[in-house]
Amino acid sequence: MYFIGITGGVGAGKSEVLRILNAREDTKVLLADEVAHLLMEKGQPCYQKILEAFPGEALLSEDGSFDRQQLAKIIFSDEKKRAIVNGIVHPAVKQYVVDAVEEERRKGELLFFFFEAALLIEEHYDAICDELWYIYTDEGIRRVRLKASRGYSDEKITQILASQKSDAQFRAVCKEEINNNGTTEELENKISDVLRRKIHE
């Protein structure tokens, strides 16, 4: 079973790639955001640690779960607080993923296990993945997508793109590059071709 990390800039179409992969019976797809949300639920490993890190802060909804808007407001307005939350959540996510991969390898039913995270490279998933894939899309297409799907202004898009890794930085650590400038059908064919090659390597 290949354990593969998916990365790429905002608007590159990673969600579409993951949707295509998720439709395969021989493949499992896991998203860092979904794992983080799970681990922050009441009774889960990160829940109590975050509460203890911010005594006196109004972080919870009436049902005892985290008020995500309130939590986001706190951590995005203070770099130190964001670092504290990341220091709790990111290692827990990584351990969850490692355990999930080990479990699937033990079962022996899958050929591929894909994991997507915004900070895949920064969190050094290259050290635990078999390889990383870079989803590449031209900047012009990404700008059109971000305006259409998220309603971002040109200024905001420029700001986001400037804060992300360059194509060269992504390519330096990724074994495969999936070009997503074309149609969904073209994307499906490219992914199928790469996976077919992996099976026969």
Side-chain angles (χ1 to χ4, degrees):
M1 186 187 82
Y2 276 96
F3 174 32
I4 300 170
I6 293 276
T7 189
V10 66
K14 294 187 293 296
S15 296
E16 185 68 4
V17 170
L18 294 167
R19 183 194 63 74
I20 292 166
L21 291 168
N22 209 25
R24 295 175 60 99
E25 291 185 0
D26 62 1
T27 300
K28 183 181 178 75
V29 172
L30 205 56
L31 280 68
D33 281 350
E34 291 181 1
V35 175
H37 287 163
L38 171 69
L39 296 177
M40 289 166 66
E41 287 178 3
K42 197 171 183 179
Q44 293 296 320
C46 298
Y47 180 86
Q48 197 59 37
K49 288 181 182 176
I50 292 172
L51 283 183
E52 289 169 3
F54 301 104
E57 298 270 16
L59 297 177
L60 300 180
S61 301
E62 286 182 13
D63 63 1
S65 64
F66 281 116
D67 181 328
R68 300 218 170 271
Q69 284 187 319
Q70 185 62 22
L71 187 60
K73 200 187 325 183
I74 288 169
I75 64 175
F76 287 112
S77 63
D78 188 321
E79 196 64 44
K80 284 182 183 174
K81 289 179 179 178
R82 181 162 58 197
I84 289 168
V85 172
N86 286 347
I88 293 169
V89 176
H90 288 173
V93 169
K94 188 176 277 189
Q95 188 57 55
Y96 181 98
V97 173
V98 167
D99 292 345
V101 170
E102 284 180 2
E103 174 67 11
E104 292 299 342
R105 283 199 162 129
R106 187 187 62 73
K107 287 183 194 171
E109 296 170 358
L110 299 176
L111 293 178
F112 303 100
F113 189 119
F114 283 89
F115 177 65
E116 187 275 329
L119 300 175
L120 195 79
I121 296 169
E122 291 83 348
E123 289 295 313
H124 306 292
Y125 276 92
D126 53 321
I128 61 171
C129 290
D130 295 320
E131 62 188 55
L132 305 185
W133 286 15
Y134 172 41
I135 313 306
Y136 170 79
T137 307
D138 289 346
E139 184 179 314
I141 296 173
R142 290 164 66 193
R143 284 180 175 275
V144 170
R145 285 180 186 163
L146 289 169
K147 278 184 184 179
S149 64
R150 305 190 194 182
Y152 288 172
S153 65
D154 286 321
E155 186 182 24
K156 181 163 186 176
I157 294 170
T158 299
Q159 192 178 17
I160 292 170
L161 294 180
S163 72
Q164 299 199 323
K165 289 188 177 301
S166 67
D167 294 334
Q169 287 173 311
F170 279 119
R171 286 172 178 143
V173 292
C174 293
K175 185 171 182 181
E176 300 286 349
E177 179 173 330
I178 307 294
N179 185 300
N180 188 20
N181 284 331
T183 64
T184 299
E185 186 180 359
E186 287 171 334
L187 180 63
E188 287 174 347
N189 290 338
K190 282 172 190 168
I191 291 169
S192 292
D193 288 345
V194 176
L195 293 180
R196 205 175 294 117
R197 175 159 48 81
K198 294 287 169 203
I199 291 169
H200 294 106
E201 275 182 359

